[in-house]
mmCIF file of all heavy atoms in Angstrom:
data_model
loop_
_atom_site.group_PDB
_atom_site.id
_atom_site.type_symbol
_atom_site.label_atom_id
_atom_site.label_comp_id
_atom_site.label_asym_id
_atom_site.label_seq_id
_atom_site.Cartn_x
_atom_site.Cartn_y
_atom_site.Cartn_z
ATOM 1 N N PHE A 155 -3.238 9.851 7.694
ATOM 2 C CA PHE A 155 -3.573 10.882 6.713
ATOM 3 C C PHE A 155 -4.947 10.661 6.077
ATOM 4 O O PHE A 155 -5.359 11.413 5.194
ATOM 5 C CB PHE A 155 -2.505 10.946 5.606
ATOM 6 C CG PHE A 155 -2.249 9.623 4.939
ATOM 7 C CD1 PHE A 155 -3.044 9.202 3.882
ATOM 8 C CD2 PHE A 155 -1.232 8.803 5.367
ATOM 9 C CE1 PHE A 155 -2.833 7.984 3.268
ATOM 10 C CE2 PHE A 155 -1.000 7.571 4.758
ATOM 11 C CZ PHE A 155 -1.803 7.168 3.710
ATOM 12 N N ALA A 194 9.063 6.242 0.907
ATOM 13 C CA ALA A 194 10.114 5.921 1.882
ATOM 14 C C ALA A 194 9.669 4.807 2.824
ATOM 15 O O ALA A 194 10.497 4.030 3.316
ATOM 16 C CB ALA A 194 10.496 7.167 2.677
ATOM 17 N N VAL A 218 2.147 -15.347 8.312
ATOM 18 C CA VAL A 218 2.659 -14.989 6.981
ATOM 19 C C VAL A 218 1.608 -14.182 6.225
ATOM 20 O O VAL A 218 1.936 -13.183 5.577
ATOM 21 C CB VAL A 218 3.091 -16.248 6.193
ATOM 22 C CG1 VAL A 218 3.425 -15.894 4.744
ATOM 23 C CG2 VAL A 218 4.289 -16.909 6.870
ATOM 24 N N ALA A 286 5.800 -12.034 -3.234
ATOM 25 C CA ALA A 286 5.567 -10.708 -2.650
ATOM 26 C C ALA A 286 6.831 -9.863 -2.723
ATOM 27 O O ALA A 286 6.770 -8.658 -2.986
ATOM 28 C CB ALA A 286 5.089 -10.848 -1.209
ATOM 29 N N ASP A 292 9.548 -4.628 -7.739
ATOM 30 C CA ASP A 292 9.027 -3.904 -8.898
ATOM 31 C C ASP A 292 8.440 -2.549 -8.494
ATOM 32 O O ASP A 292 8.592 -1.558 -9.213
ATOM 33 C CB ASP A 292 7.980 -4.737 -9.633
ATOM 34 C CG ASP A 292 8.599 -5.896 -10.400
ATOM 35 O OD1 ASP A 292 9.840 -5.944 -10.528
ATOM 36 O OD2 ASP A 292 7.834 -6.763 -10.851
#
Side-chain angles (χ1 to χ4, degrees):
F155 54 85
V218 172
D292 287 349

